[in-house]
Amino acid sequence: TRASWHLCVVTSIATNWDTNRAICGSGDGVVAYWDLRRRSVEQVLRGHKGSVTAVSVDWSTFQVLSASEDSSLKLWALKTGDCLRTFNGHSVAVQSIAVDWIAGYLASGAADGEVLLWTVRRAASPTRLRVGCEGIAEGVTALGIICAVSATSSFEDEPASEFKI
């Protein structure tokens, strides 16, 4: 079923099969919250100026993180549709994200190979990691390990590092 609000291809998706819900990011910058059983859109989140490249959901708090070609990430409240925080720090398209919702850490990877580590719920400057390869940093999901390990140390106060793959 093609919804009338949807102008472009779906570029990312996160699902909760237990509740038949899904979050979809699209090429027109929209993030949509779907009830899969009813095949209906429950919430539309607008705010990105470029294609949404990745989404992650904390189903326990109904918060969504979206990444975009506009070089930003946004934290959304699903129930209200409000943007709770915009993460700016990348200078090019953000290609991928990995989130440890329990510890509150996020890794974002951009098209220039830079990975930024953030705290999700507290405003702080990100720690910058330069991935030791050229091109898109699609391997950022491996940094979920770094996010989990970092829960025991405060990485946002550390100087920028280089991370070789």
Side-chain angles (χ1 to χ4, degrees):
T1 304
R2 183 183 166 112
S4 61
W5 61 267
H6 190 62
L7 304 175
C8 209
V9 66
V10 172
T11 55
S12 55
I13 188 165
T15 58
N16 182 334
W17 296 113
D18 291 337
T19 62
N20 289 305
R21 305 289 178 171
I23 301 295
C24 299
S26 64
D28 56 4
V30 170
V31 177
Y33 174 42
W34 282 85
D35 180 327
L36 299 175
R37 187 171 292 129
R38 292 184 187 155
R39 297 183 181 158
S40 64
V41 175
E42 302 293 309
Q43 186 69 262
V44 176
L45 310 172
R46 299 181 194 276
H48 283 296
K49 293 176 177 55
S51 178
V52 174
T53 55
V55 292
S56 179
V57 186
D58 182 351
W59 293 105
S60 67
T61 63
F62 289 93
Q63 291 186 335
V64 174
L65 188 75
S66 58
S68 173
E69 287 183 353
D70 67 10
S71 76
S72 74
L73 299 101
K74 292 188 179 287
L75 180 65
W76 305 90
L78 257 186
K79 293 193 176 193
T80 64
D82 294 335
C83 179
L84 303 174
R85 180 174 173 200
T86 299
F87 299 80
N88 292 306
H90 287 288
S91 58
V92 297
V94 180
Q95 297 293 320
S96 52
I97 54 177
V99 185
D100 181 332
W101 289 101
I102 295 169
Y105 292 108
L106 152 70
S108 58
D112 61 358
E114 184 172 57
V115 175
L116 298 183
L117 302 178
W118 312 79
T119 54
V120 175
R121 293 178 182 88
R122 192 184 75 202
S125 296
T127 295
R128 295 180 182 279
L129 301 174
R130 182 71 189 162
V131 176
C133 63
E134 293 300 316
I136 298 174
E138 291 185 77
V140 72
T141 53
L143 290 175
I145 295 166
I146 289 175
C147 290
V149 169
S150 295
T152 59
S153 65
S154 181
F155 65 74
E156 66 269 9
D157 297 328
E158 307 255 334
S161 305
E162 188 160 324
F163 180 72
K164 296 284 186 187
I165 292 179

